[in-house]
Amino acid sequence: MTDTSLPATPTGPRLAERLRRHIGVGAALVILIAYLSLTQDNFLRYSNIMNILRTNSVLFVVSTGLTFVIVSRGLDLSVGSMTALGGVLLAALLNAGIPAWPAIGLTVMLCTLLGGLINGGLIAYGGFNFFVVTLAMLQLLRGAALVMSNGIPESTFGWPAVQWIGDGQIAGFPVPVLIAILTGLIGYAVMRWTKFGRSVYAVGGNETAAGLAGIDVRRVRFAVYAIAALCAGIAAVMLTGRLTSSQPVSGAAGLELSAAAAVLLGGASFAGGAGTVAGTAIGVLFLAVLANGITLAGVPSYWQGIATGLVLIAAIALDRLRKT
Amino acid sequence: MTDTSLPATPTGPRLAERLRRHIGVGAALVILIAYLSLTQDNFLRYSNIMNILRTNSVLFVVSTGLTFVIVSRGLDLSVGSMTALGGVLLAALLNAGIPAWPAIGLTVMLCTLLGGLINGGLIAYGGFNFFVVTLAMLQLLRGAALVMSNGIPESTFGWPAVQWIGDGQIAGFPVPVLIAILTGLIGYAVMRWTKFGRSVYAVGGNETAAGLAGIDVRRVRFAVYAIAALCAGIAAVMLTGRLTSSQPVSGAAGLELSAAAAVLLGGASFAGGAGTVAGTAIGVLFLAVLANGITLAGVPSYWQGIATGLVLIAAIALDRLRKT
Amino acid sequence: QDAPVVGILGANYAIESARAQYEALAAGLKEQGIEFRFLDAQLDINRQVSQIDQFVNEGVDAIVVNVAGDPNAVLGPLNRAEEAGVMVFSIGATPGFEATLVQADLPSEELGRLSGEYICAETGGTGQIAMIEAIDIPVLAARWDSFTTAIEANCPALDIVARERAIPDDAATARPIAENLLTRFPEIKAIWTMGDGPALGAALAVKSAGRDVIVTGLNGEEQGAQGVQQGVVDATWDMLPVQIGYQLSQKIAAILKGEAEAPSETEVFTVTDLPIWSAETIADWKAYDDRIDYPGIQ
Amino acid sequence: MTAALFTARGIRRTFGPTVALADAEITLYPGEVHAIMGENGSGKSTLLSILSGALEPDEGQLTYKGQGLSRLTSASARDQGIAVVQQEPQLSPDLTVAENILLGRLPTRLGRIDWPRVYARAGEVLAELDLDLDPLSKVSTLSIGRRQMVEIAKGIADAPNVLLLDEATSSLDEADTNRLFALVDRLKARGTAIAFVSHRMSEVTERADRATVLRDGHYIGTTRIDETDEHSLVAMMVGRDLKSYWHKVPVEPGEDLLTLTGVSRNTLSDLNMRLRSGEIIGLAGLVGSGRSALLRTIAGVRPASTGEVRLNGTPVQITSPGQARRLGIGYVPEDRKAEGLVMGWSLLQNASLSKLGQSGPFAMITRAFDRAAYTHGAEGLGIKTHTPEQAVSELSGGNQQKVVIARELATGPRLLLLDEPTRGVDVGAKEDIYAQISTLVQGGMGLIIASSELQELMGVCDRILVLFQGRIVAEIPAAEATEQSLAYWASGAHEIADTAPQPEQI
Ligand SMILES: Nc1ncnc2c1ncn2[C@@H]1O[C@H](COP(=O)(O)OP(=O)(O)OP(=O)(O)O)[C@@H](O)[C@H]1O
Ligand SMILES: Nc1ncnc2c1ncn2[C@@H]1O[C@H](COP(=O)(O)OP(=O)(O)OP(=O)(O)O)[C@@H](O)[C@H]1O
Ligand SMILES: [Mg+2]
Ligand SMILES: [Mg+2]
């Protein structure tokens, strides 16, 4: 009974634990893919798969950032508006004569600064409620996008670098998908293997304990909102490139809720302390395949809301079943 | 040391406590009202005040229901979609030949059932995550509203009872405002003076403690979602009457976020266990007066998002200042 | 006596073509020395209801309403306005309200017809085409209804294989819809869209898939023009919003100044001869805000 | 003796692979005080949970007043007069004391909650506990000790026939403990059966009539207290003889490790102390006397506002817990659940938490990092777990406490601050901890231990500092200290003595 030695198969329980955590939505994803492969001739085609990935790379990049926030026991409702504002910023910078790459860098930096300073600053150092702050920012940033652009989409067509990021190819593989994969890998590695990543889990799991153990809780909170904004900034460049123009009015509207749904589907919870970027990837894929399947199957668009809602519930039901 | 007698002024500490809780946003509201009274000639006119109240009675009714949910440490993102669906249901029932009052009753009952059974059932008895369930319902109910109506608003102009609820008057006082006040009073009384109301606080404050004290936690959770849906149902009738038609597409879109903001501004928190309907009333009034002031002052609509965002942040900043 | 005041009730100022109408309207009123106030509903019909009441409270002489949703919703406040002696004008119809003096209609039917005839001609009248519509509201539905009518009338052999909806009707939403359409229908010849945002999205999907599919938009907005300039959108038709707003302003001014008699029943007008913007003509395209001096109503 | 009031036989309860109770039994008679004893994780709390209806047993029978009880729930248990005081206070923080006490049974009139009666009834219950607490104050404003008293008040609110107390005294000070046992005596006189769990041997021998001992979920036996002694009770509990309990060994003090000169902040004023390596200082005092506050200051949680802190002779400003770790100061906070552990994490991850704060910003955190921290920190502590991959939430309280200590040891501190290190920890585990402390000082570490158990301070420490209202009022070598002398200083009796000769100053 006083056995403090390490177990013989150290990965055993962790693997099981991981499976347990993801298998719900993971299994739902597998079932969905199997079903669509059998019923939709076009589903498994390379072009369709690339469509799915390309369409959802923006969502995935944003969700990766949001994973940090949710694991730290927060929420950022402003990522959609930030993405829209980022596009407007980029177009404005470009049209002000700044060359493409510096403008892209500047856009991402400005977004990160804005999100970090206002969201992160107020929440981490001001002790404000995250929901109210990011809800206010949802409105504020969208307003800023409208004011800056006067509601007019500005073309970024003249700057091939932007289009390349949003819609280019490297050896036949879409650039935005590569960026999404890269972001995901970096996000995963940071959460999994760095001091900062572990601190995010600690802060989400027990803020007081983390603070007393020597983690700078406020710095961690600040950083997660900056990361969410950074990812939104990258997503903004991707989306702008993809549409060859900024979209101040409706661009990325509702993205925050889709991203939150993806993160939660992926095993994170609002109680904080749990969730991984890998889980988020499964969550995004699930939503992505679902949306694709629904349109491929020719489900009338009005039914799509119902279908999405039902399948979301089914996915977490499966998750529940697995856990008990 | 052994003085266990009741304090001489039993309301003393409670009053102070209450002031402390509401003074932040309450003070912001007073400042806002004072400022608008001085700068906007039209602000204090009876017709303008009634306009404010009439416009926001729907929001208040929905927020009252949401107060129960948030106090119980939950969230219902589906109230906006429920309100839209309620309107569609009402129009459908009326056009199917059911007389106005039974149709109204049936609408409210159907909404309550739907919200109670699906949201409440899955969350309370299924142990599902409230965010995912109600996010799914946000999509599902909106989808159902679209499918039922094919996206087309149906007129309810031929049924004076519906219009009376949404836009009628009793002795020069708007009926929807009366309904909102009544709902608020009942909500306040239930939370303050009934066993059920106190159970909601207990469940939100410490679920384990509540369970051990013999409170049926699951029944309470079930009930709060049913109440949120009930209020959404009432709001649906009011909104339909006010607009003389169902609004499947844009009706009550985003209402869930405004309502949540109002409840949180009113002193509740996502940590559960705190919040009152009186606080929610202040929260709603704050948002209402703010929106009215912004239009009266002729702030361009683009700037309204920015202004709303800034003032929201200012309001909770004041709240923070008061508390420290 | 004070100069008359007109209250303009916009549906959503953030929409380019809508804004052009309001600004042109205001520009015309300003020219005539008539004061105006502007309120924007931002597509929230509930807000618009209270804005109408607000204008009536403020005692404006006339209002121009562009309904931000279902027209039924504004019947109550419009009746209150009429009772209060406020003249009512409108951009788009307000069915159920009889007392509108002048109603400026959008040329939706002509847009649908012109685009139908174009696709007919460009496809040679045979093969598969798909449509990207939007939310089913009467002002928009006229576009796809008259488009399908035009197809049936001119080239019944054209096969409309899919009718999808982009909600919201923007480029980001339309692009994946178009991508799926291209996957589902390898033989498709054309995609008709209900606006310039969806057109740009659909056209970029076509380009990215490396396919040769005709894509058309409607409205002549910035995004449509961009698409044509980029060579991805084949054509879009201008809806002349500046003319709509300006013509309405002149009629209102005449009535308010007593130069013209108030019509006894609603006078409806719309613009015609909508120019096509395609590769040949795009050089002449002008952004809406370059067509008239915007007074900057907000 | 009269007929048994409440009996449980053959109780079995498992949590997944863990067998919390294998074949437990207990019999309670009216008017007796019954101690339930056992090491951490032996199943005491589980047994009480079953007796109070909070958990259902997998097997076994409950008999109450001669009748079999099936499907007991928390609510039905309470209706029958069975009340429980949980090990961890279960309160709603935003509600008032009164409402928490009467939770689930608020009196109503005409369907309305009768608030005046709520406050009156709560006042009565508090009076019965002899507790000076405003029924209208919010629980969130109370200290952990006060919360525990509210939890107790909850338990006695319905004048129960059976009162089950799970480590009710572990976070109470002397005064509150005395209040509780005074109440226990009154209830006993009324014929209430009281069962209590405590790891404080003195409470058991002084207060209980009989004791039931559990070990690893098995029933070991029940004895009358007057027919046994501490040694045999401990032997029953741990299955072995505890020889040198405190593990005190003489260590020659080394260099100055920590000196405080005139340190003040908030409620703390003008603190002076000197700790050498190889030395253990104990902090005694009443609740709120500032023991925790002093440790928190040294640990950098709330930096000192004035005064000088020297570490190894060099003046330092300790401004954050992270910095304290880097300076070689380890800190074990007093509330392991709220302040110490990330409950959802494994032992491994918790073990590396403080090392995380100590490491540089670009440190790689791999499994090897966790593993090294655990192996290093847990060595010699004897943590009972089937795998360190287990979530700490599944451990018993004593083992959780050891994990917090392991976590600090993993950072390799030179100075270790322990706040209530053995609260709720069983004798066996305590001995493990004392043994470990002994090893540490021999290695040259310096320790400061804040504790409410005077026996522990006297047994383990070299010197004891007594705090009263944020000041150090006495420094007594442990060898010369007695419970009476410590209590004299801690209670502020010296102040009365000082001011008595000068009444004209008032
Ligand atoms: N909810 C649970 N899930 C898993 N294991 C549990 C749970 N509750 C208790 N256990 C396990 O059951 C065993 C008995 O626990 P219990 O809390 O009854 O011990 P205890 O005697 O009260 O210990 P302590 O003195 O530390 O409070 C322990 O091994 C514990 O890890
Ligand atoms: N967060 C706080 N806010 C206000 N006062 C506090 C806070 N924490 C502690 N105090 C006060 O500081 C003083 C010292 O408290 P501290 O917790 O150090 O006492 P302690 O001797 O450790 O008592 P305990 O046995 O309860 O831990 C007390 O008067 C306490 O009320
Ligand atoms: Mg226990
Ligand atoms: Mg303490």
Side-chain angles (χ1 to χ4, degrees), chain B residues 26-242:
Chain B
L29 179 61
V30 170
I31 294 171
L32 194 65
I33 289 179
Y35 174 78
L36 289 174
S37 310
L38 293 175
T39 56
Q40 299 298 323
D41 294 342
N42 289 318
F43 178 70
L44 275 188
R45 284 170 59 176
Y46 179 78
S47 60
N48 187 50
I49 292 172
M50 283 306 131
N51 198 358
I52 296 178
L53 296 179
R54 215 167 30 202
T55 307
N56 291 283
S57 44
V58 166
L59 174 63
F60 179 66
V61 170
V62 169
S63 303
T64 301
L66 200 58
T67 308
F68 283 82
V69 179
I70 290 181
V71 168
S72 83
R73 197 176 202 160
L75 180 60
D76 188 346
L77 289 170
S78 69
V79 286
S81 299
M82 183 66 88
T83 305
L85 178 61
V88 172
L89 276 173
L90 177 62
L93 290 172
L94 291 173
N95 285 303
I98 297 173
W101 288 108
I104 291 171
L106 217 58
T107 301
V108 174
M109 258 168 53
L110 280 173
C111 286
T112 314
L113 263 181
L114 213 59
L117 289 184
I118 309 193
N119 286 338
L122 289 179
I123 295 166
Y125 293 97
F128 287 35
N129 177 290
F130 61 80
F131 192 90
V132 187
V133 169
T134 61
L135 186 62
M137 285 291 276
L138 178 154
Q139 307 236 36
L140 206 153
L141 296 176
R142 179 70 63 175
L146 286 174
V147 168
M148 273 193 65
S149 65
N150 205 21
I152 300 169
E154 265 193 278
S155 173
T156 56
F157 196 68
W159 291 269
V162 179
Q163 262 58 257
W164 183 77
I165 287 181
D167 210 8
Q169 305 224 331
I170 292 180
F173 202 79
V175 176
V177 178
L178 285 177
I179 296 178
I181 292 174
L182 202 69
T183 311
L185 287 178
I186 294 175
Y188 183 82
V190 168
M191 294 206 88
R192 182 85 184 83
W193 282 308
T194 67
K195 284 205 172 193
F196 168 71
R198 301 323 288 177
S199 307
V200 176
Y201 284 96
V203 167
N206 185 340
E207 192 173 345
T208 321
L212 291 174
I215 291 167
D216 189 337
V217 173
R218 291 188 295 189
R219 187 144 30 143
V220 171
R221 285 212 181 288
F222 180 87
V224 294
Y225 289 95
I227 289 176
L230 166 75
C231 288
I234 297 173
V237 178
M238 293 164 67
L239 189 64
T240 308
R242 176 172 163 79

Side-chain angles (χ1 to χ4, degrees), chain A residues 42 45 51 54-55 150-155 157 167 242-245 247 249-250 292 295-296 301-302, chain C residues 14 16 19 135-136 165 167 170-172 175-176 179-180 183-184 200 204 207-208 222-223 226 230 289:
Chain A
N42 292 318
R45 285 169 59 176
N51 272 347
R54 209 165 38 200
T55 305
N150 207 18
I152 299 175
E154 265 194 279
S155 175
F157 190 69
D167 210 9
R242 178 172 160 79
L243 303 176
T244 66
S245 55
Q247 301 282 330
V249 180
S250 60
N292 181 259
T295 27
L296 277 192
S301 51
Y302 287 163
Chain C
E16 232 177 308
R19 175 171 53 240
I135 191 77
D136 199 358
R165 291 182 201 280
I167 307 172
D170 62 11
R175 184 167 169 168
E179 281 168 347
N180 287 333
T183 309
R184 273 160 73 195
L200 180 62
L204 289 168
K207 182 188 173 200
S208 188
E222 189 86 30
Q223 292 193 70
Q226 281 167 23
Q230 288 174 28
D289 53 358

Side-chain angles (χ1 to χ4, degrees), chain D residues 298-337:
Chain D
I298 304 171
V301 183
R302 295 265 181 278
S305 49
T306 56
E308 191 190 51
V309 179
R310 279 171 184 268
L311 202 63
N312 295 317
T314 20
V316 285
Q317 293 280 342
I318 310 171
T319 52
S320 75
Q323 196 206 357
R325 294 308 187 301
R326 288 188 287 277
L327 289 169
I329 301 174
Y331 168 53
V332 173
E334 68 180 324
D335 184 346
R336 61 181 164 256
K337 201 169 170 190

Side-chain angles (χ1 to χ4, degrees), chain D residues 387-454:
Chain D
T387 158
E389 310 274 357
Q390 201 180 2
V392 284
S393 57
E394 293 170 9
L395 297 185
S396 72
N399 282 305
Q400 290 177 352
Q401 184 69 35
K402 289 180 187 172
V403 175
V404 188
I405 296 175
R407 177 188 93 185
E408 292 310 316
L409 295 182
T411 66
R414 282 173 298 163
L415 167 62
L416 184 58
L417 312 173
L418 301 173
D419 200 351
E420 305 286 359
T422 62
R423 170 175 292 168
V425 173
D426 71 53
V427 272
K430 272 182 191 165
E431 195 208 357
D432 292 336
I433 292 173
Y434 299 143
Q436 185 65 16
I437 288 174
S438 165
T439 321
L440 294 172
V441 282
Q442 289 173 62
M445 194 184 286
L447 286 96
I448 305 178
I449 302 176
S451 175
S452 300
E453 284 191 57
L454 300 180

